[in-house]
Amino acid sequence: MKKEIQELVDKGEMLPLMEEFYTIQGEGFYKGTAAYFIRVGGCDVGCHWCDVKESWDAELHPPTETTKIVEKAALHSKTIVVTGGEPLTWDMTALTTQLKEKGLQVHIETSGAYPLTGTWDWICLSPKKMKLPTAEVSAKAHELKVIIFNRDDFKFAEEQAALVNDDCILYMQPEWSKRDKMIPEIVEYVMANPRWKVSLQTHKYLNIP
Protein backbone atom coordinates (compact mmCIF):
# COMPACT_ATOMS: atom_id res chain seq x y z
CA MET A 1 0.00 0.00 0.00
CA LYS A 2 1.33 3.43 -0.93
CA LYS A 3 2.56 5.49 2.01
CA GLU A 4 0.06 8.33 1.37
CA ILE A 5 -2.88 5.92 1.31
CA GLN A 6 -1.61 4.10 4.40
CA GLU A 7 -1.47 7.42 6.26
CA LEU A 8 -5.10 8.15 5.33
CA VAL A 9 -6.13 4.64 6.45
CA ASP A 10 -4.29 5.12 9.74
CA LYS A 11 -6.27 8.33 10.29
CA GLY A 12 -9.55 6.66 9.38
CA GLU A 13 -10.00 8.97 6.39
CA MET A 14 -9.91 5.89 4.20
CA LEU A 15 -11.11 2.43 5.26
CA PRO A 16 -10.71 -1.04 3.70
CA LEU A 17 -14.31 -1.40 2.54
CA MET A 18 -15.37 -5.00 2.00
CA GLU A 19 -19.03 -4.46 1.18
CA GLU A 20 -21.99 -2.20 1.87
CA PHE A 21 -25.64 -3.17 1.60
CA TYR A 22 -29.14 -2.21 2.68
CA THR A 23 -31.03 -5.01 4.44
CA ILE A 24 -32.86 -5.98 7.62
CA GLN A 25 -30.87 -6.25 10.85
CA GLY A 26 -31.14 -9.92 11.73
CA GLU A 27 -29.74 -10.09 15.26
CA GLY A 28 -30.01 -8.65 18.74
CA PHE A 29 -32.06 -5.70 19.96
CA TYR A 30 -32.64 -4.12 16.54
CA LYS A 31 -33.61 -7.29 14.71
CA GLY A 32 -36.27 -6.63 12.10
CA THR A 33 -35.09 -3.04 11.56
CA ALA A 34 -34.11 -1.83 8.11
CA ALA A 35 -30.45 -0.79 8.24
CA TYR A 36 -27.53 0.01 5.96
CA PHE A 37 -24.46 -2.12 6.70
CA ILE A 38 -20.88 -0.98 6.20
CA ARG A 39 -18.56 -3.99 6.41
CA VAL A 40 -14.93 -3.05 6.99
CA GLY A 41 -12.17 -5.53 6.22
CA GLY A 42 -9.49 -6.57 8.67
CA CYS A 43 -9.68 -8.87 11.70
CA ASP A 44 -7.10 -10.88 13.63
CA VAL A 45 -9.44 -12.30 16.28
CA GLY A 46 -9.77 -15.50 14.23
CA CYS A 47 -13.05 -17.19 15.20
CA HIS A 48 -13.06 -20.64 13.61
CA TRP A 49 -16.82 -20.41 12.99
CA CYS A 50 -16.73 -16.90 11.47
CA ASP A 51 -19.17 -16.69 8.55
CA VAL A 52 -17.24 -13.89 6.82
CA LYS A 53 -13.65 -15.17 6.89
CA GLU A 54 -13.06 -13.29 3.64
CA SER A 55 -13.18 -10.13 5.77
CA TRP A 56 -10.08 -11.04 7.75
CA ASP A 57 -7.39 -9.85 5.31
CA ALA A 58 -7.68 -6.08 4.99
CA GLU A 59 -5.32 -6.16 2.00
CA LEU A 60 -8.07 -7.79 -0.07
CA HIS A 61 -10.39 -4.83 0.35
CA PRO A 62 -9.75 -1.50 -1.37
CA PRO A 63 -9.07 1.55 0.79
CA THR A 64 -12.12 3.74 0.20
CA GLU A 65 -12.56 7.39 1.09
CA THR A 66 -14.69 7.71 4.21
CA THR A 67 -16.57 10.63 2.68
CA LYS A 68 -17.72 8.42 -0.21
CA ILE A 69 -18.83 5.66 2.19
CA VAL A 70 -20.89 8.19 4.16
CA GLU A 71 -22.48 9.80 1.09
CA LYS A 72 -23.66 6.42 -0.15
CA ALA A 73 -24.89 5.26 3.25
CA ALA A 74 -26.98 8.40 3.75
CA LEU A 75 -28.96 7.64 0.58
CA HIS A 76 -30.36 4.42 1.98
CA SER A 77 -31.21 4.51 5.67
CA LYS A 78 -31.27 6.49 8.91
CA THR A 79 -29.81 3.47 10.72
CA ILE A 80 -26.21 2.58 9.88
CA VAL A 81 -24.47 -0.55 11.19
CA VAL A 82 -20.67 -0.69 11.04
CA THR A 83 -19.41 -4.25 11.15
CA GLY A 84 -16.52 -6.38 9.94
CA GLY A 85 -14.14 -7.94 10.21
CA GLU A 86 -13.34 -6.05 13.37
CA PRO A 87 -14.12 -2.37 12.77
CA LEU A 88 -12.21 -1.16 15.82
CA THR A 89 -9.02 -2.33 14.11
CA TRP A 90 -9.30 1.11 12.51
CA ASP A 91 -9.93 4.62 13.83
CA MET A 92 -13.69 5.09 13.53
CA THR A 93 -13.65 8.80 14.46
CA ALA A 94 -13.88 10.26 10.95
CA LEU A 95 -16.54 7.79 9.78
CA THR A 96 -18.86 8.24 12.74
CA THR A 97 -18.39 12.03 12.90
CA GLN A 98 -19.50 12.34 9.28
CA LEU A 99 -22.41 9.94 9.73
CA LYS A 100 -23.61 11.85 12.82
CA GLU A 101 -23.32 15.15 10.92
CA LYS A 102 -25.95 13.75 8.55
CA GLY A 103 -28.25 12.97 11.48
CA LEU A 104 -27.88 9.22 11.21
CA GLN A 105 -28.11 6.65 13.99
CA VAL A 106 -24.81 4.81 14.11
CA HIS A 107 -24.38 1.26 15.45
CA ILE A 108 -21.30 -0.93 15.73
CA GLU A 109 -20.91 -4.70 15.96
CA THR A 110 -17.57 -5.46 17.59
CA SER A 111 -15.61 -8.05 19.54
CA GLY A 112 -14.33 -5.13 21.61
CA ALA A 113 -10.76 -6.36 21.27
CA TYR A 114 -9.37 -2.93 20.38
CA PRO A 115 -9.68 0.56 21.87
CA LEU A 116 -13.03 2.22 21.33
CA THR A 117 -12.95 4.99 18.75
CA GLY A 118 -15.87 6.85 17.21
CA THR A 119 -19.23 8.09 18.47
CA TRP A 120 -21.91 5.41 18.71
CA ASP A 121 -25.63 5.36 19.39
CA TRP A 122 -25.55 1.59 19.91
CA ILE A 123 -22.67 -0.74 20.71
CA CYS A 124 -23.26 -4.45 20.20
CA LEU A 125 -20.43 -6.29 21.93
CA SER A 126 -19.87 -9.87 20.84
CA PRO A 127 -16.82 -10.97 22.82
CA LYS A 128 -14.47 -13.71 21.71
CA LYS A 129 -12.32 -15.96 23.91
CA MET A 130 -9.30 -15.63 21.64
CA LYS A 131 -9.00 -11.87 22.18
CA LEU A 132 -11.04 -10.50 25.06
CA PRO A 133 -12.73 -7.09 24.98
CA THR A 134 -11.22 -4.00 26.53
CA ALA A 135 -12.71 -2.78 29.80
CA GLU A 136 -13.95 0.41 28.11
CA VAL A 137 -15.97 -1.41 25.44
CA SER A 138 -17.49 -3.74 28.03
CA ALA A 139 -18.44 -0.77 30.21
CA LYS A 140 -20.10 1.12 27.34
CA ALA A 141 -21.83 -1.76 25.54
CA HIS A 142 -25.59 -1.46 25.03
CA GLU A 143 -26.00 -5.13 24.26
CA LEU A 144 -23.84 -8.17 24.95
CA LYS A 145 -24.29 -10.91 22.35
CA VAL A 146 -22.48 -14.14 23.21
CA ILE A 147 -22.28 -16.82 20.53
CA ILE A 148 -23.02 -20.26 21.97
CA PHE A 149 -21.05 -22.94 20.15
CA ASN A 150 -20.91 -25.48 22.98
CA ARG A 151 -21.71 -25.78 26.69
CA ASP A 152 -18.48 -24.10 27.76
CA ASP A 153 -19.81 -20.90 26.26
CA PHE A 154 -22.47 -20.54 28.96
CA LYS A 155 -19.69 -20.04 31.52
CA PHE A 156 -17.93 -17.59 29.20
CA ALA A 157 -21.21 -15.70 28.76
CA GLU A 158 -21.60 -15.23 32.51
CA GLU A 159 -17.98 -14.09 32.84
CA GLN A 160 -18.56 -11.43 30.19
CA ALA A 161 -21.92 -10.41 31.64
CA ALA A 162 -20.15 -9.59 34.91
CA LEU A 163 -18.07 -6.97 33.08
CA VAL A 164 -20.78 -4.94 31.33
CA ASN A 165 -22.92 -2.15 32.78
CA ASP A 166 -26.22 -2.83 34.53
CA ASP A 167 -28.31 -1.52 31.62
CA CYS A 168 -26.64 -3.74 29.03
CA ILE A 169 -29.07 -6.19 27.42
CA LEU A 170 -27.81 -9.78 27.52
CA TYR A 171 -28.23 -12.12 24.55
CA MET A 172 -27.23 -15.68 23.83
CA GLN A 173 -27.13 -16.60 20.15
CA PRO A 174 -26.57 -20.12 18.82
CA GLU A 175 -23.70 -20.51 16.39
CA TRP A 176 -25.48 -21.19 13.10
CA SER A 177 -23.95 -24.60 12.34
CA LYS A 178 -24.74 -25.80 15.88
CA ARG A 179 -28.22 -24.27 16.16
CA ASP A 180 -30.19 -27.53 16.16
CA LYS A 181 -28.10 -28.87 19.03
CA MET A 182 -27.67 -25.67 21.04
CA ILE A 183 -31.08 -23.96 20.73
CA PRO A 184 -32.79 -26.35 23.19
CA GLU A 185 -29.94 -25.82 25.68
CA ILE A 186 -30.08 -22.05 25.25
CA VAL A 187 -33.85 -22.04 25.73
CA GLU A 188 -33.49 -24.07 28.91
CA TYR A 189 -30.70 -21.80 30.18
CA VAL A 190 -32.59 -18.57 29.49
CA MET A 191 -35.73 -19.90 31.17
CA ALA A 192 -33.64 -20.71 34.23
CA ASN A 193 -31.74 -17.39 33.98
CA PRO A 194 -34.28 -14.89 32.62
CA ARG A 195 -31.98 -11.87 32.67
CA TRP A 196 -30.70 -13.36 29.41
CA LYS A 197 -32.59 -13.24 26.11
CA VAL A 198 -32.35 -15.45 23.02
CA SER A 199 -31.02 -13.93 19.79
CA LEU A 200 -31.33 -15.77 16.49
CA GLN A 201 -29.78 -14.97 13.12
CA THR A 202 -33.17 -14.20 11.64
CA HIS A 203 -31.65 -12.85 8.41
CA LYS A 204 -30.52 -16.38 7.63
CA TYR A 205 -34.05 -17.69 8.10
CA LEU A 206 -35.27 -14.84 5.86
CA ASN A 207 -32.54 -15.69 3.31
CA ILE A 208 -31.28 -12.11 3.10
CA PRO A 209 -27.78 -10.63 3.60
Side-chain angles (χ1 to χ4, degrees):
M1 191 182 296
K2 289 183 180 177
K3 184 182 176 186
E4 304 84 57
I5 293 178
Q6 184 63 58
E7 287 176 355
L8 291 171
V9 170
D10 291 343
K11 292 178 186 175
E13 293 175 14
M14 297 184 85
L15 292 168
L17 181 66
M18 177 180 167
E19 59 180 346
E20 47 194 341
F21 52 93
Y22 185 43
T23 188
I24 302 294
Q25 170 62 277
E27 304 176 8
F29 184 79
Y30 281 93
K31 67 181 177 296
T33 302
Y36 188 79
F37 280 71
I38 298 169
R39 188 182 300 282
V40 182
C43 184
D44 64 358
V45 179
C47 307
H48 61 91
W49 37 255
C50 176
D51 53 7
V52 278
K53 287 188 171 73
E54 60 272 25
S55 71
W56 291 3
D57 186 355
E59 297 291 323
L60 298 177
H61 309 295
T64 304
E65 291 175 22
T66 305
T67 52
K68 290 182 178 178
I69 297 173
V70 171
E71 289 293 334
K72 195 169 180 182
L75 296 173
H76 293 273
S77 181
K78 290 290 186 185
T79 302
I80 311 298
V81 180
V82 182
T83 186
E86 173 44 69
L88 292 181
T89 303
W90 316 101
D91 189 339
M92 291 282 113
T93 306
L95 178 66
T96 58
T97 298
Q98 292 171 50
L99 290 168
K100 294 302 293 177
E101 284 172 353
K102 291 189 176 292
L104 304 177
Q105 186 171 17
V106 189
H107 301 188
I108 187 172
E109 296 181 345
T110 178
S111 69
Y114 290 95
L116 185 65
T117 55
T119 302
W120 306 99
D121 296 293
W122 193 262
I123 298 172
C124 172
L125 171 61
S126 185
K128 306 299 186 290
K129 295 174 184 174
M130 298 75 77
K131 205 160 191 173
L132 295 171
T134 68
E136 182 187 15
V137 181
S138 293
K140 292 186 176 180
H142 298 91
E143 69 178 290
L144 175 71
K145 183 176 68 186
V146 181
I147 309 304
I148 305 296
F149 183 78
N150 56 40
R151 287 183 177 178
D152 289 341
D153 292 326
F154 291 111
K155 180 174 181 286
F156 177 68
E158 293 292 356
E159 291 169 352
Q160 295 304 303
L163 302 175
V164 297
N165 64 81
D166 291 342
D167 294 325
C168 187
I169 304 167
L170 307 180
Y171 289 102
M172 291 182 172
Q173 179 171 294
E175 196 279 320
W176 183 251
S177 70
K178 298 289 185 180
R179 65 191 183 280
D180 291 341
K181 179 184 179 188
M182 296 313 301
I183 283 176
E185 296 197 28
I186 292 171
V187 168
E188 183 179 351
Y189 192 93
V190 169
M191 290 174 70
N193 301 273
R195 69 191 188 116
W196 289 91
K197 300 175 185 290
V198 179
S199 173
L200 298 173
Q201 291 179 291
T202 57
H203 56 292
K204 293 188 176 181
Y205 291 100
L206 295 171
N207 197 28
I208 57 175

